[in-house]
Amino acid sequence: MVRIPGGSFVMGSDSHYPEEAPAHRVEMEAFWIDRAPVTNAAFRCFVEATGHVTVAELAPDPSQYPGARPEMLRAASLVFRKTRGPVDTRDWSQWWELRAGADWRHPYGPGSNLVGLDEHPVVHVAYADALAESVGEKIPQGAAG
């Protein structure tokens, strides 16, 4: 891992998406980060060693999303969808699709797999999954790779 020194920066934007406003100065503490992305092969070792189930593999708890449409409360993840041409960039749904069954083992949804992608970066991993992999549920020594 590599240590990134702390410092300050301007986070957000006043001239792009509304949810990015307001731009504001943020102070960050130093942190550690992996030198390279976690690969599918390494994440598979982690899952096999710990039994971890990712956020994308779990249906959301309806009590945490009152009023949500039932079709949104299923195990799913966002999958990039190439557009035919320019789209309204204010609407992310023009190039992202919530796809049921998309997860780290099925990057494009049901029917897709990781054949030939062992050394590619793992996808459909939420912050909670990354935290579990890097801090809380360590891979046993020698299991990765």
Side-chain angles (χ1 to χ4, degrees):
M1 296 187 87
V2 178
R3 186 174 187 274
I4 306 297
S8 65
F9 69 98
V10 175
M11 183 164 98
S13 171
D14 293 322
S15 57
H16 293 92
Y17 303 110
E19 64 271 15
E20 294 179 352
H24 58 287
R25 183 153 298 281
V26 174
E27 190 74 30
M28 291 289 300
E29 294 183 18
F31 62 94
W32 292 88
I33 191 167
D34 286 341
R35 288 186 180 271
V38 175
T39 64
N40 288 316
F43 197 75
R44 181 183 305 111
C45 286
F46 158 70
V47 168
E48 288 173 356
T50 65
H52 182 77
V53 178
T54 64
V55 171
E57 296 172 283
L58 300 170
D61 177 354
S63 70
Q64 301 235 343
Y65 301 93
R69 297 188 324 251
E71 66 271 15
M72 300 296 284
L73 297 173
R74 55 190 173 165
S77 190
L78 292 174
V79 176
F80 181 79
R81 180 179 62 229
K82 187 175 179 180
T83 65
R84 290 193 169 132
V87 296
D88 181 353
T89 57
R90 293 172 295 181
D91 180 4
W92 60 268
S93 69
Q94 298 298 300
W95 64 92
W96 289 103
E97 174 187 340
L98 183 64
R99 195 169 296 168
D103 57 47
W104 76 273
R105 289 183 181 95
H106 309 96
Y108 301 105
S112 65
N113 59 52
L114 298 176
V115 172
L117 301 176
D118 277 351
E119 297 308 311
H120 285 233
V122 67
V123 296
H124 302 296
V125 174
Y127 176 71
D129 304 319
L131 190 59
E133 193 274 341
S134 67
V135 177
E137 301 176 14
K138 280 295 191 188
I139 300 172
Q141 198 69 356

